[in-house]
Amino acid sequence: MTHNVASRTAPRASKGGALFACTLGNSVSVTPAVHAVFGLFLVPLSQGFGWSRASVSGVLGVLALVGAISYPIIGRHVDRHGARRTLLIGVLGLAASIGALALTSGSLVQFYLTFTVLSLFGAMAGTPIFQKVVADWFDENPGTALGVSAGGGCGIGSVIMPVLAALLVGQWGWRAGYLGIAGFVLLVAFPLLLVFLHDRSGAPSAGGAPQPAREGLTL
């Protein structure tokens, strides 16, 4: 059974697949999916609920604070157990959290709490964690691979996401904008990540000791 699973996953577990997956993952991470589109939601939220723009913008501080606290913990976990599961859970949670922003009522506390949860999932599926996967796969030219996946991914996403959000917000309002972004992450990006995102067999685990390479990769 294990051999059959390994055989099925082996063809799609490759450097190219890992680079594609991490580039895609970065394109739907917090920077493109939240930061780059934030200005499109600032005015509608402020006007709709009577919140000051400073109060709305304060959630960006929550993103930074939660990331500063959680990234070292998440990084240590993926060093020990691999990044794939953490990243996939993070992407799912990020999509759900962005979608939950569409349910925002007049409670600023609710808005901040939703962003706190979003920040945690965003850190689980953040660029540093995707870059761990890239670094494990690319023994040669790792700088190029890291530049493509992080710089290229975040750059492409920061172009696509604001355009998508602007179209949706302009046509159907800010709630549709959040739902559209969530839908793109969940229905377009996540299935591709599920197929192509894999930890490299034999990558260093806890203590930095490389494990023997096995045929294929476990799910």
Side-chain angles (χ1 to χ4, degrees), residues 95-189:
S97 300
I98 294 173
L101 289 172
L103 303 176
T104 300
S105 64
S107 171
L108 192 60
V109 173
Q110 176 198 6
F111 187 61
Y112 270 70
L113 287 176
T114 305
F115 251 90
T116 300
V117 175
L118 182 154
S119 302
L120 179 58
F121 283 118
M124 292 174 66
T127 295
I129 312 304
F130 279 108
Q131 298 305 74
K132 166 68 166 63
V133 178
V134 175
D136 285 342
W137 275 97
F138 286 83
D139 298 321
E140 298 180 358
N141 302 316
T144 301
L146 291 169
V148 169
S149 60
C154 288
I156 293 170
S158 295
V159 172
I160 294 175
M161 289 300 185
V163 172
L164 173 63
L167 291 173
L168 293 172
V169 172
Q171 189 70 27
W172 292 289
W174 63 269
R175 295 185 192 274
Y178 278 133
L179 289 175
I181 293 172
F184 183 88
V185 175
L186 181 63
L187 301 177
V188 178

Coordinates of all heavy atoms in Angstrom, one line a residue, residues 95-189:
A95 N -8.0 31.1 3.3 CA -9.1 31.3 2.4 C -10.4 31.4 3.2 O -11.2 32.3 3.0 CB -9.3 30.1 1.4
A96 N -10.6 30.6 4.2 CA -11.8 30.7 5.1 C -11.8 32.0 5.8 O -12.9 32.6 6.0 CB -11.8 29.5 6.0
S97 N -10.7 32.4 6.3 CA -10.6 33.7 7.1 C -11.0 34.9 6.2 O -11.7 35.8 6.7 CB -9.3 33.8 7.7 OG -9.0 32.8 8.6
I98 N -10.4 34.9 5.0 CA -10.7 36.0 4.1 C -12.2 36.0 3.8 O -12.9 37.0 3.7 CB -9.9 35.9 2.8 CG1 -8.4 36.1 3.2 CG2 -10.3 36.9 1.8 CD1 -7.4 35.9 2.0
G99 N -12.8 34.8 3.5 CA -14.2 34.7 3.3 C -15.0 35.2 4.5 O -16.1 35.8 4.3
A100 N -14.5 34.9 5.7 CA -15.2 35.3 6.9 C -15.3 36.8 7.0 O -16.2 37.3 7.7 CB -14.6 34.7 8.1
L101 N -14.4 37.5 6.4 CA -14.4 39.0 6.5 C -15.6 39.5 5.8 O -16.1 40.6 6.1 CB -13.1 39.6 5.8 CG -11.8 39.4 6.6 CD1 -10.6 39.8 5.8 CD2 -11.9 40.1 7.9
A102 N -16.2 38.8 4.9 CA -17.4 39.2 4.2 C -18.6 39.2 5.2 O -19.7 39.8 4.9 CB -17.7 38.3 3.0
L103 N -18.5 38.5 6.3 CA -19.6 38.5 7.3 C -19.4 39.6 8.4 O -20.2 39.6 9.4 CB -19.5 37.1 8.0 CG -19.7 35.9 7.1 CD1 -19.6 34.6 7.9 CD2 -21.0 35.9 6.3
T104 N -18.4 40.5 8.2 CA -18.2 41.5 9.1 C -19.5 42.3 9.4 O -20.2 42.8 8.4 CB -17.1 42.5 8.6 OG1 -15.9 41.7 8.5 CG2 -16.9 43.6 9.6
S105 N -19.8 42.6 10.6 CA -21.0 43.4 11.0 C -20.4 44.7 11.5 O -19.3 45.1 11.1 CB -21.8 42.7 12.1 OG -21.0 42.6 13.3
G106 N -21.2 45.4 12.3 CA -20.8 46.7 12.8 C -19.8 46.6 14.0 O -19.5 47.7 14.5
S107 N -19.4 45.4 14.3 CA -18.5 45.3 15.5 C -17.1 45.3 15.0 O -16.6 44.4 14.3 CB -18.8 43.9 16.1 OG -17.8 43.6 17.1
L108 N -16.4 46.3 15.5 CA -14.9 46.4 15.2 C -14.2 45.3 15.9 O -13.1 44.9 15.4 CB -14.4 47.8 15.7 CG -13.0 48.2 15.2 CD1 -13.0 48.3 13.7 CD2 -12.7 49.6 15.8
V109 N -14.6 44.9 17.1 CA -14.0 43.8 17.8 C -14.0 42.5 16.9 O -13.0 41.8 16.8 CB -14.7 43.5 19.1 CG1 -14.1 42.2 19.8 CG2 -14.5 44.7 20.1
Q110 N -15.2 42.2 16.3 CA -15.3 41.1 15.4 C -14.3 41.2 14.3 O -13.7 40.2 13.9 CB -16.7 41.0 14.9 CG -16.9 39.8 13.9 CD -18.2 40.0 13.0 OE1 -18.8 41.0 13.1 NE2 -18.5 39.0 12.2
F111 N -14.2 42.3 13.7 CA -13.3 42.6 12.6 C -11.9 42.3 13.0 O -11.1 41.6 12.3 CB -13.4 44.0 12.1 CG -12.7 44.4 10.9 CD1 -12.9 43.7 9.7 CD2 -11.7 45.3 10.9 CE1 -12.2 44.0 8.5 CE2 -11.0 45.7 9.7 CZ -11.2 45.0 8.5
Y112 N -11.5 42.7 14.2 CA -10.1 42.5 14.7 C -9.9 41.0 15.0 O -8.8 40.5 14.7 CB -9.8 43.4 15.9 CG -9.2 44.7 15.5 CD1 -10.0 45.7 14.9 CD2 -7.9 45.0 15.8 CE1 -9.5 46.9 14.6 CE2 -7.4 46.3 15.5 CZ -8.2 47.2 14.9 OH -7.6 48.5 14.6
L113 N -10.9 40.4 15.6 CA -10.7 39.0 15.9 C -10.6 38.1 14.6 O -9.8 37.2 14.6 CB -11.9 38.5 16.7 CG -12.0 39.0 18.2 CD1 -13.3 38.5 18.8 CD2 -10.8 38.5 19.0
T114 N -11.4 38.5 13.6 CA -11.2 37.7 12.3 C -9.9 37.9 11.7 O -9.3 37.0 11.2 CB -12.3 38.2 11.3 OG1 -13.6 38.1 11.9 CG2 -12.3 37.4 10.0
F115 N -9.3 39.1 11.8 CA -8.0 39.4 11.3 C -6.9 38.7 12.1 O -5.9 38.3 11.6 CB -7.7 40.9 11.2 CG -7.7 41.4 9.8 CD1 -8.9 41.9 9.3 CD2 -6.5 41.4 9.1 CE1 -8.9 42.4 8.0 CE2 -6.5 41.9 7.8 CZ -7.7 42.4 7.2
T116 N -7.2 38.5 13.4 CA -6.2 37.8 14.2 C -6.1 36.3 13.8 O -5.0 35.8 13.6 CB -6.6 37.8 15.7 OG1 -6.7 39.2 16.2 CG2 -5.7 37.0 16.6
V117 N -7.3 35.7 13.5 CA -7.3 34.3 13.0 C -6.6 34.3 11.6 O -5.8 33.4 11.3 CB -8.7 33.8 13.0 CG1 -8.8 32.4 12.3 CG2 -9.3 33.7 14.4
L118 N -7.0 35.2 10.8 CA -6.4 35.3 9.5 C -4.9 35.4 9.5 O -4.2 34.8 8.8 CB -7.0 36.5 8.7 CG -6.6 36.8 7.3 CD1 -7.7 37.5 6.5 CD2 -5.3 37.6 7.2
S119 N -4.4 36.2 10.5 CA -3.0 36.4 10.6 C -2.2 35.1 11.0 O -1.1 34.8 10.5 CB -2.7 37.4 11.7 OG -3.3 38.7 11.4
L120 N -2.9 34.3 11.8 CA -2.2 33.0 12.2 C -2.2 32.1 11.0 O -1.1 31.5 10.7 CB -3.0 32.4 13.3 CG -2.5 31.0 13.8 CD1 -1.0 31.2 14.3 CD2 -3.4 30.5 14.9
F121 N -3.3 31.9 10.3 CA -3.3 31.0 9.1 C -2.3 31.6 8.0 O -1.7 30.9 7.3 CB -4.7 30.9 8.6 CG -5.5 29.9 9.3 CD1 -6.7 30.3 10.0 CD2 -5.1 28.6 9.5 CE1 -7.4 29.4 10.7 CE2 -5.9 27.7 10.2 CZ -7.1 28.1 10.8
G122 N -2.3 32.9 7.9 CA -1.4 33.6 6.9 C 0.0 33.3 7.2 O 0.8 33.1 6.3
A123 N 0.4 33.2 8.5 CA 1.8 32.9 8.9 C 2.1 31.4 8.6 O 3.2 31.1 8.1 CB 2.0 33.1 10.4
M124 N 1.1 30.5 8.8 CA 1.3 29.1 8.4 C 1.5 28.9 6.9 O 2.2 28.0 6.5 CB 0.1 28.3 8.9 CG -0.1 28.2 10.4 SD -1.7 27.4 10.9 CE -1.4 25.7 10.2
A125 N 0.9 29.8 6.1 CA 1.1 29.7 4.7 C 1.8 30.9 4.2 O 1.6 31.4 3.1 CB -0.3 29.6 4.0
G126 N 2.8 31.4 5.0 CA 3.6 32.6 4.6 C 4.8 32.3 3.7 O 5.2 31.1 3.6
T127 N 5.3 33.3 3.2 CA 6.5 33.2 2.3 C 7.6 32.5 3.0 O 8.3 31.7 2.3 CB 6.9 34.6 1.8 OG1 5.8 35.1 1.0 CG2 8.2 34.5 1.0
P128 N 8.0 32.8 4.2 CA 9.1 32.1 4.8 C 8.9 30.6 4.9 O 9.9 29.8 4.7 CB 9.2 32.7 6.2 CG 8.6 34.0 6.1 CD 7.5 33.8 5.1
I129 N 7.7 30.1 5.0 CA 7.5 28.7 5.1 C 7.6 28.0 3.7 O 8.1 26.9 3.5 CB 6.1 28.4 5.7 CG1 5.9 29.2 7.0 CG2 6.0 26.9 6.0 CD1 7.0 29.0 8.0
F130 N 7.0 28.7 2.7 CA 7.2 28.2 1.3 C 8.7 28.2 0.9 O 9.1 27.3 0.2 CB 6.4 29.1 0.3 CG 5.0 28.8 0.2 CD1 4.0 29.7 0.8 CD2 4.5 27.6 -0.4 CE1 2.6 29.4 0.7 CE2 3.2 27.3 -0.4 CZ 2.2 28.2 0.1
Q131 N 9.4 29.2 1.4 CA 10.8 29.2 1.1 C 11.6 28.1 1.7 O 12.7 27.7 1.2 CB 11.4 30.6 1.5 CG 10.8 31.8 0.7 CD 10.8 31.7 -0.8 OE1 10.1 30.9 -1.4 NE2 11.7 32.5 -1.4
K132 N 11.1 27.6 2.8 CA 11.8 26.4 3.4 C 11.7 25.2 2.4 O 12.7 24.5 2.3 CB 11.0 26.1 4.7 CG 11.3 24.7 5.3 CD 12.8 24.6 5.8 CE 13.0 23.3 6.6 NZ 12.7 22.0 5.9
V133 N 10.5 25.1 1.8 CA 10.4 24.0 0.8 C 11.3 24.2 -0.4 O 12.0 23.2 -0.8 CB 8.9 23.9 0.3 CG1 8.8 22.8 -0.8 CG2 8.0 23.7 1.5
V134 N 11.4 25.4 -0.9 CA 12.3 25.7 -2.0 C 13.8 25.4 -1.6 O 14.5 24.8 -2.4 CB 12.1 27.2 -2.4 CG1 13.2 27.5 -3.5 CG2 10.7 27.4 -2.9
A135 N 14.2 25.9 -0.5 CA 15.6 25.7 0.0 C 15.9 24.2 0.1 O 17.0 23.8 -0.2 CB 15.8 26.4 1.3
D136 N 14.9 23.4 0.5 CA 15.2 22.0 0.6 C 15.4 21.3 -0.7 O 16.2 20.4 -0.9 CB 14.0 21.3 1.4 CG 14.1 21.5 2.9 OD1 15.1 22.0 3.4 OD2 13.0 21.3 3.5
W137 N 14.6 21.8 -1.7 CA 14.6 21.1 -3.0 C 15.8 21.6 -3.9 O 16.4 20.8 -4.7 CB 13.4 21.5 -3.8 CG 12.2 20.5 -3.5 CD1 11.2 20.7 -2.7 CD2 12.0 19.2 -4.1 NE1 10.4 19.6 -2.7 CE2 10.8 18.7 -3.6 CE3 12.7 18.5 -5.1 CZ2 10.3 17.5 -3.9 CZ3 12.2 17.2 -5.4 CH2 11.0 16.7 -4.9
F138 N 16.3 22.8 -3.7 CA 17.3 23.4 -4.6 C 18.7 23.5 -3.9 O 19.0 24.4 -3.2 CB 16.9 24.7 -5.1 CG 15.8 24.7 -6.2 CD1 14.5 24.5 -5.8 CD2 16.1 24.7 -7.5 CE1 13.5 24.4 -6.7 CE2 15.1 24.6 -8.5 CZ 13.8 24.5 -8.1
D139 N 19.5 22.4 -4.1 CA 20.9 22.4 -3.7 C 21.7 23.4 -4.5 O 22.7 24.0 -4.0 CB 21.4 21.0 -3.7 CG 20.7 20.1 -2.8 OD1 20.3 20.5 -1.7 OD2 20.5 18.9 -3.2
E140 N 21.4 23.5 -5.8 CA 22.1 24.3 -6.7 C 21.3 25.5 -7.1 O 20.0 25.4 -7.2 CB 22.5 23.6 -8.0 CG 23.4 22.4 -7.8 CD 23.8 21.7 -9.0 OE1 23.2 22.1 -10.1 OE2 24.6 20.7 -9.0
N141 N 21.9 26.7 -7.2 CA 21.2 27.9 -7.5 C 20.0 28.2 -6.6 O 18.9 28.5 -7.1 CB 20.8 27.9 -9.0 CG 21.9 27.8 -9.9 OD1 23.0 28.4 -9.7 ND2 21.8 26.9 -10.9
P142 N 20.1 28.0 -5.3 CA 19.0 28.3 -4.4 C 18.5 29.7 -4.4 O 17.3 30.0 -4.3 CB 19.5 27.8 -3.0 CG 21.0 28.0 -3.1 CD 21.3 27.7 -4.5
G143 N 19.4 30.6 -4.6 CA 19.1 32.1 -4.6 C 18.1 32.4 -5.8 O 17.2 33.1 -5.6
T144 N 18.4 31.8 -7.0 CA 17.6 32.0 -8.1 C 16.2 31.5 -7.8 O 15.1 32.1 -8.1 CB 18.1 31.3 -9.4 OG1 19.4 31.9 -9.6 CG2 17.3 31.6 -10.6
A145 N 16.1 30.2 -7.3 CA 14.8 29.6 -7.0 C 14.0 30.4 -6.0 O 12.8 30.6 -6.1 CB 15.0 28.2 -6.6
L146 N 14.7 30.9 -5.0 CA 14.0 31.7 -3.9 C 13.5 33.0 -4.5 O 12.5 33.5 -4.1 CB 15.0 31.9 -2.8 CG 15.4 30.7 -1.9 CD1 16.5 31.0 -1.0 CD2 14.2 30.2 -1.1
G147 N 14.3 33.6 -5.4 CA 13.9 34.8 -6.0 C 12.7 34.7 -6.9 O 11.8 35.5 -6.9
V148 N 12.7 33.6 -7.6 CA 11.5 33.3 -8.5 C 10.3 33.1 -7.7 O 9.2 33.7 -7.9 CB 11.8 32.1 -9.4 CG1 10.5 31.6 -10.1 CG2 12.9 32.4 -10.4
S149 N 10.4 32.2 -6.7 CA 9.2 31.8 -5.9 C 8.7 32.9 -5.1 O 7.4 33.2 -5.0 CB 9.5 30.6 -5.1 OG 10.5 30.8 -4.1
A150 N 9.6 33.7 -4.4 CA 9.1 34.7 -3.5 C 8.8 36.0 -4.3 O 7.7 36.6 -4.2 CB 10.1 35.0 -2.4
G151 N 9.9 36.5 -5.0 CA 9.7 37.8 -5.7 C 8.7 37.6 -6.8 O 7.8 38.5 -7.0
G152 N 8.8 36.6 -7.6 CA 7.9 36.4 -8.7 C 6.5 36.1 -8.3 O 5.5 36.7 -8.8
G153 N 6.4 35.2 -7.3 CA 5.1 34.9 -6.8 C 4.3 36.0 -6.2 O 3.2 36.3 -6.5
C154 N 5.0 36.7 -5.2 CA 4.3 37.8 -4.6 C 4.0 39.0 -5.6 O 3.0 39.7 -5.5 CB 5.2 38.4 -3.4 SG 5.2 37.3 -2.0
G155 N 5.0 39.2 -6.5 CA 4.7 40.2 -7.5 C 3.6 39.9 -8.4 O 2.7 40.8 -8.7
I156 N 3.5 38.7 -8.9 CA 2.3 38.3 -9.8 C 1.0 38.4 -9.0 O 0.0 38.9 -9.5 CB 2.6 36.9 -10.3 CG1 3.7 36.9 -11.3 CG2 1.3 36.4 -11.0 CD1 4.2 35.5 -11.7
G157 N 1.0 37.9 -7.8 CA -0.2 37.9 -7.0 C -0.6 39.4 -6.7 O -1.8 39.7 -6.6
S158 N 0.4 40.2 -6.5 CA 0.1 41.6 -6.1 C -0.5 42.4 -7.3 O -0.9 43.5 -7.2 CB 1.3 42.3 -5.6 OG 1.7 41.7 -4.3
V159 N -0.4 41.8 -8.5 CA -1.0 42.4 -9.7 C -2.4 41.8 -9.9 O -3.4 42.5 -10.1 CB -0.1 42.1 -11.0 CG1 -0.9 42.6 -12.2 CG2 1.2 42.9 -10.9
I160 N -2.5 40.5 -9.8 CA -3.8 39.8 -10.1 C -4.8 40.1 -9.0 O -6.0 40.4 -9.3 CB -3.5 38.3 -10.2 CG1 -2.7 38.0 -11.4 CG2 -4.9 37.6 -10.2 CD1 -2.3 36.5 -11.5
M161 N -4.4 40.0 -7.7 CA -5.4 40.1 -6.6 C -6.1 41.5 -6.6 O -7.3 41.6 -6.5 CB -4.8 39.8 -5.3 CG -4.4 38.3 -5.1 SD -5.9 37.3 -5.2 CE -5.2 35.7 -4.8
P162 N -5.4 42.6 -6.7 CA -6.0 43.9 -6.7 C -7.0 44.1 -7.9 O -8.0 44.7 -7.8 CB -4.9 44.9 -6.8 CG -3.7 44.2 -6.1 CD -3.9 42.8 -6.6
V163 N -6.6 43.5 -9.1 CA -7.5 43.6 -10.2 C -8.8 42.8 -10.0 O -9.9 43.3 -10.2 CB -6.8 43.1 -11.5 CG1 -7.8 43.0 -12.7 CG2 -5.6 44.0 -11.9
L164 N -8.6 41.6 -9.5 CA -9.8 40.8 -9.2 C -10.7 41.5 -8.1 O -11.9 41.6 -8.3 CB -9.3 39.4 -8.6 CG -10.4 38.5 -8.1 CD1 -11.4 38.1 -9.2 CD2 -9.8 37.2 -7.5
A165 N -10.0 42.0 -7.1 CA -10.8 42.7 -6.0 C -11.5 43.9 -6.5 O -12.6 44.2 -6.2 CB -9.9 43.0 -4.8
A166 N -10.8 44.7 -7.3 CA -11.4 45.9 -7.8 C -12.6 45.7 -8.7 O -13.6 46.4 -8.6 CB -10.3 46.7 -8.6
L167 N -12.5 44.6 -9.5 CA -13.7 44.3 -10.4 C -14.9 43.9 -9.5 O -16.0 44.3 -9.7 CB -13.3 43.1 -11.3 CG -12.3 43.5 -12.4 CD1 -11.9 42.2 -13.2 CD2 -12.9 44.5 -13.4
L168 N -14.6 43.1 -8.5 CA -15.7 42.6 -7.7 C -16.3 43.6 -6.8 O -17.5 43.8 -6.6 CB -15.2 41.4 -6.8 CG -14.8 40.1 -7.6 CD1 -14.2 39.1 -6.7 CD2 -16.1 39.5 -8.2
V169 N -15.4 44.4 -6.2 CA -15.9 45.5 -5.3 C -16.7 46.5 -6.1 O -17.7 47.0 -5.7 CB -14.7 46.2 -4.5 CG1 -15.2 47.4 -3.8 CG2 -14.1 45.2 -3.6
G170 N -16.2 46.9 -7.3 CA -16.8 47.9 -8.1 C -18.2 47.4 -8.6 O -19.1 48.2 -8.7
Q171 N -18.3 46.1 -8.8 CA -19.6 45.6 -9.4 C -20.6 45.2 -8.3 O -21.8 45.5 -8.4 CB -19.3 44.4 -10.3 CG -20.4 43.9 -11.1 CD -20.8 44.8 -12.2 OE1 -20.0 45.5 -12.7 NE2 -22.1 44.8 -12.6
W172 N -20.1 44.5 -7.2 CA -21.0 44.0 -6.2 C -20.7 44.4 -4.8 O -21.4 43.9 -3.9 CB -21.0 42.4 -6.3 CG -21.6 41.9 -7.6 CD1 -22.9 41.9 -8.0 CD2 -20.9 41.3 -8.7 NE1 -23.0 41.4 -9.2 CE2 -21.8 41.0 -9.7 CE3 -19.5 41.0 -8.9 CZ2 -21.4 40.4 -10.9 CZ3 -19.1 40.4 -10.1 CH2 -20.1 40.1 -11.1
G173 N -19.7 45.2 -4.6 CA -19.5 45.6 -3.2 C -18.3 44.9 -2.5 O -17.8 43.9 -3.0
W174 N -17.9 45.4 -1.3 CA -16.8 44.9 -0.7 C -16.9 43.4 -0.2 O -16.0 42.7 -0.1 CB -16.4 45.8 0.5 CG -17.4 45.9 1.6 CD1 -18.3 46.9 1.7 CD2 -17.5 45.1 2.8 NE1 -19.1 46.7 2.9 CE2 -18.5 45.6 3.5 CE3 -16.7 44.0 3.2 CZ2 -18.9 45.0 4.8 CZ3 -17.1 43.4 4.5 CH2 -18.2 43.9 5.2
R175 N -18.1 43.0 0.2 CA -18.3 41.7 0.7 C -18.0 40.7 -0.5 O -17.4 39.6 -0.3 CB -19.8 41.5 1.2 CG -20.1 42.3 2.4 CD -21.5 42.0 2.9 NE -21.9 42.9 3.9 CZ -21.6 42.9 5.2 NH1 -20.9 41.9 5.7 NH2 -22.1 43.8 6.0
A176 N -18.5 41.0 -1.7 CA -18.2 40.2 -2.8 C -16.7 40.1 -3.1 O -16.1 39.1 -3.6 CB -18.9 40.7 -4.1
G177 N -16.0 41.2 -2.8 CA -14.6 41.3 -3.0 C -13.8 40.3 -2.2 O -13.0 39.5 -2.6
Y178 N -14.2 40.2 -0.9 CA -13.6 39.3 0.0 C -13.9 37.8 -0.4 O -13.1 36.9 -0.3 CB -14.0 39.5 1.5 CG -13.2 40.6 2.2 CD1 -13.9 41.6 2.9 CD2 -11.9 40.7 2.1 CE1 -13.2 42.6 3.5 CE2 -11.1 41.7 2.7 CZ -11.8 42.7 3.4 OH -11.1 43.7 4.1
L179 N -15.2 37.6 -0.7 CA -15.6 36.2 -1.1 C -14.9 35.8 -2.4 O -14.5 34.6 -2.5 CB -17.1 36.2 -1.3 CG -18.0 36.3 0.0 CD1 -19.4 36.4 -0.4 CD2 -17.7 35.1 0.9
G180 N -14.7 36.7 -3.3 CA -14.0 36.4 -4.6 C -12.6 36.0 -4.3 O -12.0 35.1 -4.9
I181 N -11.9 36.8 -3.5 CA -10.5 36.4 -3.2 C -10.4 35.1 -2.5 O -9.6 34.2 -2.8 CB -9.8 37.5 -2.3 CG1 -9.7 38.8 -3.1 CG2 -8.5 37.1 -1.8 CD1 -9.3 40.0 -2.2
A182 N -11.3 34.9 -1.5 CA -11.3 33.6 -0.8 C -11.6 32.4 -1.8 O -10.9 31.4 -1.7 CB -12.4 33.6 0.3
G183 N -12.5 32.6 -2.7 CA -12.8 31.6 -3.7 C -11.7 31.3 -4.6 O -11.4 30.1 -5.0
F184 N -10.9 32.3 -5.0 CA -9.8 32.1 -5.9 C -8.7 31.3 -5.2 O -8.2 30.3 -5.7 CB -9.2 33.5 -6.3 CG -8.0 33.4 -7.2 CD1 -8.2 33.3 -8.6 CD2 -6.7 33.3 -6.8 CE1 -7.2 33.2 -9.5 CE2 -5.6 33.2 -7.7 CZ -5.9 33.2 -9.0
V185 N -8.4 31.6 -3.9 CA -7.5 30.9 -3.1 C -7.9 29.4 -3.0 O -7.1 28.5 -3.1 CB -7.2 31.5 -1.8 CG1 -6.3 30.7 -0.9 CG2 -6.7 32.9 -1.9
L186 N -9.2 29.2 -2.6 CA -9.7 27.9 -2.3 C -9.9 27.0 -3.6 O -9.5 25.8 -3.6 CB -11.0 28.0 -1.6 CG -11.7 26.7 -1.1 CD1 -10.8 26.0 -0.1 CD2 -13.0 27.0 -0.5
L187 N -10.4 27.6 -4.6 CA -10.9 26.8 -5.8 C -9.8 26.7 -6.9 O -9.8 25.8 -7.7 CB -12.2 27.3 -6.3 CG -13.3 27.4 -5.4 CD1 -14.6 28.0 -6.0 CD2 -13.7 26.0 -4.9
V188 N -8.9 27.7 -6.9 CA -7.9 27.7 -8.0 C -6.5 27.3 -7.4 O -5.9 26.3 -7.9 CB -7.8 29.1 -8.6 CG1 -6.7 29.1 -9.7 CG2 -9.1 29.5 -9.3
A189 N -6.1 28.0 -6.4 CA -4.7 27.7 -5.9 C -4.6 26.4 -5.1 O -3.7 25.6 -5.3 CB -4.3 28.9 -5.0

